[in-house]
Amino acid sequence: MTTDTRQQFASDNYAGACPEAMHWLATANASGHEPAYGEDRWTQRSTDMLRKLFDIDCDVYYVFNGTAANSLALASLCQSYHSVICSPVAHIETDECGGPEFFSNGSKLLVGESQSEAARQGKITPAAIQELVTKRSDIHYPRPKVVSITQATEMGTVYSVEDVREIAWMAKKHHLRLHMDGARFANAVAHLGCSPADVTWRAGVDVLCFGGTKNGLPVGEAVVFFDRKLSEDFAWRVKQAGQLASKMRFISAPWVGLLEDDVWLRNASHANAMAQRLYQGLRQLPGVQTLHAPQANGVFAQLPPAAVTALHARGWKFYQFIAGGGCRFVCAWDTTEEAVDALLADMRAVTG
Ligand SMILES: *Cc1c(COP(=O)(O)O)cnc(C)c1O
C-alpha cells in the first residue's frame, strides 16, 4: 500500500474522474429508479450527444474498458479465418492478452514493418498495408479483413486527417474495413483541431472505440459504429462477453458530463499542453534524449539507466517501453504544472 498520492506520469488512467463526469454520475444516482441495461434516459441522452458530435446517425454501445471495446469491435468485423492488420506496437497486439483473437474465435493479427520512421512513430502506412495484403492470397493464410489504427498512437503521435484518408483508401482498395482504437481519441482531435467526423467516418473509418476512461470518466468506453449494418447483433456480443452494464446509467451519465460544453476536448487539450511543458523541460536536460515531439499527451525519452533508478527511488512511477532506458511519461486531464515541474526538478537533480 502507498500513501504517496502525488500526481504520477505512468499513465493517464492514474488520474481520477473529472468533476463534470462526477456531477452527472451523482445526478443519475439521485434520479431514483431507472430502467436497466441501457434503456435509461442517460444512455439515450449521451448517445444522442455522440450522434450530434459526429454529425451522423451512428450506433453507440458502452463497455467497461478498451480491451473489450477493441476486441468486440474487431470480432464484429471478422470471421475466425480473417486477419487484422495493425502496427507492431498496437495495443491490440501488445497489451490485450489475445483478447481480439479470443473474441473473434481466432482471427489473427498481422503486424506491419517496424523499421521505418512511420513505424517508429507508432504508425502503420498504406505501403505496409499493401504489402501485408498482397504477400499471400492463398487458402493457407488468414484472409486480411480489417485495418486497425490507434489514434493517438501508442507513441504519442497523431495521424493527420490526410493520413487516415490514405489508409482508408488503401483499405477500401483491398475490401478491408477500418477500425480506430481511440483510447486517446480526444487527445488526437485536440491536437488536430478538426471535427471528430473529419478524422473518422468522413475519412473512411467504419468503427471507432472512443476512450472515456483516460479522458476523465470513472469507467467506460464507447464503441461507435458509423455504418449501422456492421453493428447487427453487437448487443448480444457485448452481453455474452460480460460487458453489458446492468446499471448502465453509471457509465452513460458521466459521458454527458464529458460531452456537454466540450469538456472532453478541454480535458484532452490540457493533458496535451502538460506533455508539451514536460517535453520542453526534458529537452534542456543533459544526457536525456527525447524522441519525436509529442502531439498528444505522452512524452518519450531515453534517460541514463542510473537516472531511471534514481527517479524510481524518489517515488516516480513511469513505464519503460524501449530497450536501453526508453521511458514514457503520460499527462492526464488533471496534471498540474506543479507536478510537471516537480518531476522535471527531480530529473534535473538525477541527471545533473
Ligand atoms: C489504455 C488503452 C486501451 C484500453 O485499455 P484497457 O485497460 O483495456 O481499458 C486501448 N488502446 C490503447 C492504445 C490504450 O492506450
Side-chain angles (χ1 to χ4, degrees):
M1 208 199 78
T2 175
T3 51
D4 181 353
T5 56
R6 83 177 94 162
Q7 292 197 330
Q8 292 286 355
F9 295 83
S11 183
D12 29 6
N13 58 16
Y14 272 46
C18 66
E20 295 85 353
M22 292 309 287
H23 166 77
W24 285 101
L25 183 73
T27 304
N29 190 45
S31 72
H33 283 206
E34 291 275 351
Y37 301 114
E39 300 297 317
D40 61 282
R41 73 182 104 157
W42 313 104
T43 300
Q44 184 66 48
R45 182 163 166 185
S46 61
T47 56
D48 284 346
M49 289 170 94
L50 282 166
R51 282 181 274 276
K52 187 148 179 281
L53 180 70
F54 285 100
D55 198 17
I56 191 171
D57 185 26
C58 48
D59 204 6
V60 181
Y61 298 83
Y62 294 121
V63 295
F64 293 106
N65 55 48
T67 297
N70 286 333
S71 298
L72 297 176
L74 290 170
S76 73
L77 302 176
C78 287
Q79 298 290 336
S80 56
Y81 47 84
H82 284 142
S83 54
V84 175
I85 291 172
C86 64
S87 136
V89 299
H91 198 270
I92 57 170
E93 162 73 6
T94 63
D95 286 284
E96 299 191 352
C97 196
E101 296 90 331
F102 176 77
F103 283 106
S104 61
N105 292 311
S107 302
K108 187 178 166 68
L109 303 187
L110 304 177
V111 302
E113 51 83 29
S114 60
Q115 294 309 312
S116 66
E117 180 48 34
R120 272 187 287 278
Q121 294 193 11
K123 295 181 181 176
I124 187 140
T125 60
I129 294 165
Q130 168 106 325
E131 196 194 322
L132 282 168
V133 178
T134 54
K135 192 166 75 174
R136 295 268 296 267
S137 60
D138 60 272
I139 205 161
H140 305 285
Y141 199 65
R143 189 175 182 192
K145 185 68 176 180
V146 181
V147 174
S148 176
I149 59 176
T150 309
Q151 177 78 314
T153 72
E154 289 79 0
M155 298 303 290
T157 58
V158 172
Y159 289 96
S160 69
V161 172
E162 194 51 39
D163 286 341
V164 178
R165 280 204 201 116
E166 285 172 6
I167 287 168
W169 183 86
M170 182 59 76
K172 305 297 156 183
K173 180 181 166 193
H174 295 290
H175 310 289
L176 310 176
R177 295 291 187 175
L178 183 55
H179 163 259
M180 181 177 276
D181 173 352
R184 299 191 180 91
F185 181 71
N187 302 91
V189 174
H191 170 76
L192 292 170
C194 67
S195 85
D198 284 346
V199 74
T200 55
W201 65 272
R202 281 198 199 113
V205 173
D206 295 300
V207 184
L208 166 71
C209 296
F210 188 168
T213 308
K214 287 169 180 160
N215 187 236
L217 289 191
V219 63
E221 316 279 298
V223 184
V224 183
F225 287 90
F226 299 111
D227 179 351
R228 278 178 169 264
K229 283 193 296 292
L230 297 175
S231 62
E232 198 189 350
D233 290 350
F234 193 74
W236 281 269
R237 215 179 265 289
V238 169
K239 173 67 187 181
Q240 186 182 50
Q243 287 284 326
L244 179 64
S246 75
K247 292 188 182 176
M248 181 75 87
R249 62 173 140 159
F250 295 120
I251 293 184
S252 57
W255 271 99
V256 174
L258 279 194
L259 296 169
E260 200 176 55
D261 300 329
D262 284 339
V263 167
W264 66 284
L265 208 50
R266 214 162 56 227
N267 283 353
S269 300
H270 174 80
N272 291 2
M274 290 302 100
Q276 286 300 334
R277 184 182 184 92
L278 180 56
Y279 176 69
Q280 296 307 336
L282 271 174
R283 280 171 39 132
Q284 315 296 323
L285 299 183
V288 174
Q289 215 186 335
T290 49
L291 264 64
H292 43 260
Q295 295 178 311
N297 58 330
V299 181
F300 293 77
Q302 303 267 120
L303 270 66
V308 172
T309 309
L311 283 173
H312 285 316
R314 288 177 182 231
W316 292 106
K317 297 187 196 306
F318 54 90
Y319 287 108
Q320 283 168 272
F321 271 55
I322 308 141
C327 303
R328 184 190 79 162
F329 302 93
V330 187
C331 298
W333 65 271
D334 66 343
T335 299
T336 61
E337 292 185 353
E338 291 73 26
V340 172
D341 294 348
L343 175 63
L344 282 169
D346 273 353
M347 284 175 160
R348 211 168 289 123
V350 302
T351 55

